[in-house]
Amino acid sequence: MKSPTRMPLVVANWKMNPTTSEEATRLFSAISASLKKTKATVVVAPPAIFLGALKQGMRKAPKHIALGAQNVHPLESGPHTGQLSVRMLYASGASYCIVGHSECRALGESDALVNAKVHALLKSRMTPILCVGELERDQSGKYYAVVETQVRASLHDVKKKDIEKVVIAYEPIWAISSGDGKGRTATPEDAHEMRLFIVKILTDLYGRTMAERVQILYGGSVNETNAEGIFTQSGVNGFLVGGAS
Ligand code: PEP
């Protein structure tokens, strides 16, 4: 198995937690302090309303900690109630942004919309964290086609020179803690085989050299007990962590 060459990347998706700016600031300070010597890039993605407060805390944070947003609208401005643009998020301190999360796809987000978000982020030099993943694993392997469609459609028209700026998070919905409620977790082999499959799609689209530069994360009930095993045995470049973060 090819070992990751870049510094591992861990993305903390706080979802709609915590409930106050004070709590978010406290948690962020504690994380920054405890990660001073960590050899990984850590992206904290709080609810967007707390980004500004955490941006203040970034002054004291180590360089390998960054802020991320959980979603974005692909347009710059206009009549889009409740939405935030790339520029607004960037001004609030975010340099990464999650797109295509299964909880957003469940609300109707299409691959075409995810693709528009990826382009908007790349245009503004923010890093898209593109989430893909199947709802179920069937015996006949149809889940491969689900992931392939998501990857290809979400990366439509992304140029070869830009592909290494995209992070892909493989998040099988059945393994996400908010998923189907059955509490299943993926094995290192599950993550390994899908990582290889995504590299194969990227190779097809962009050639092997560029494909191997793309960081591929795993997400789905990662916690302090299973993280080490998945990381060392699957070859992924890091994690997208929800509940445990
Ligand atoms: C997620 O929702 O992106 C996720 C990985 O959640 P959890 O870690 O809670 O399964």
Side-chain angles (χ1 to χ4, degrees), residues 60-122:
K60 289 194 205 138
K63 283 211 164 41
H64 57 272
I65 298 190
L67 291 176
Q70 297 176 16
N71 204 352
V72 67
H73 192 280
L75 297 179
E76 284 174 19
S77 61
H80 308 292
T81 305
Q83 304 294 319
L84 297 169
S85 70
V86 173
R87 196 163 165 195
M88 291 168 190
L89 295 170
Y90 185 76
S92 302
S95 47
Y96 289 76
C97 183
I98 297 169
V99 293
H101 191 279
S102 56
E103 288 158 13
C104 299
R105 290 180 187 266
L107 298 175
E109 188 165 282
S110 65
D111 284 330
L113 181 54
V114 175
N115 178 244
K117 294 179 181 188
V118 169
H119 281 286
L121 290 162
L122 287 174

Side-chain angles (χ1 to χ4, degrees), residues 3-233:
S3 55
T5 47
R6 286 207 208 166
M7 197 141 92
L9 173 63
V10 179
V11 182
N13 177 10
W14 284 3
K15 307 193 182 190
M16 207 165 73
N17 305 288
T19 52
T20 65
S21 175
E22 289 72 24
E23 266 181 282
T25 308
R26 248 196 326 271
L27 188 56
F28 185 70
S29 309
I31 289 173
S32 305
S34 71
L35 292 179
K36 283 215 161 70
K37 295 200 176 125
T38 300
K39 290 197 174 60
T41 302
V42 176
V43 176
V44 174
I49 191 135
F50 301 146
L51 278 169
L54 300 199
K55 188 179 173 188
Q56 305 299 320
M58 283 290 284
R59 294 202 196 117
K60 289 194 205 138
K63 283 211 164 41
H64 57 272
I65 298 190
L67 291 176
Q70 297 176 16
N71 204 352
V72 67
H73 192 280
L75 297 179
E76 284 174 19
S77 61
H80 308 292
T81 305
Q83 304 294 319
L84 297 169
S85 70
V86 173
R87 196 163 165 195
M88 291 168 190
L89 295 170
Y90 185 76
S92 302
S95 47
Y96 289 76
C97 183
I98 297 169
V99 293
H101 191 279
S102 56
E103 288 158 13
C104 299
R105 290 180 187 266
L107 298 175
E109 188 165 282
S110 65
D111 284 330
L113 181 54
V114 175
N115 178 244
K117 294 179 181 188
V118 169
H119 281 286
L121 290 162
L122 287 174
K123 201 167 136 202
S124 302
R125 300 204 179 84
M126 262 175 82
T127 304
I129 301 163
L130 166 63
C131 300
V132 295
E134 77 282 1
L135 188 59
E136 265 310 329
R137 279 209 169 187
D138 54 298
Q139 295 296 330
S140 55
K142 289 203 184 93
Y143 59 92
Y144 281 114
V146 172
V147 172
E148 178 160 12
T149 301
Q150 288 178 341
V151 172
R152 286 183 184 271
S154 308
L155 294 178
H156 180 67
D157 267 350
V158 171
K159 302 272 173 298
K160 188 170 181 174
K161 68 174 177 50
D162 288 330
I163 190 59
E164 64 183 311
K165 298 171 199 153
V166 178
V167 174
I168 298 182
Y170 169 55
E171 298 213 297
I173 299 169
W174 52 268
I176 293 183
S177 61
S178 65
D180 61 10
K182 293 185 191 153
R184 291 173 292 171
T185 51
T187 62
E189 294 73 32
D190 292 333
H192 176 59
E193 64 171 37
M194 195 51 86
R195 183 187 78 86
L196 291 181
F197 183 64
I198 292 171
V199 172
K200 182 174 162 295
I201 301 166
L202 295 173
T203 302
D204 201 29
L205 290 169
Y206 301 104
R208 189 154 190 93
T209 308
M210 295 312 280
E212 282 177 352
R213 287 192 194 161
V214 177
Q215 287 181 292
I216 299 176
L217 312 183
Y218 168 75
S221 302
V222 173
N223 57 39
E224 58 196 28
T225 313
N226 59 22
E228 188 175 347
I230 299 175
F231 185 71
T232 53
Q233 294 167 47

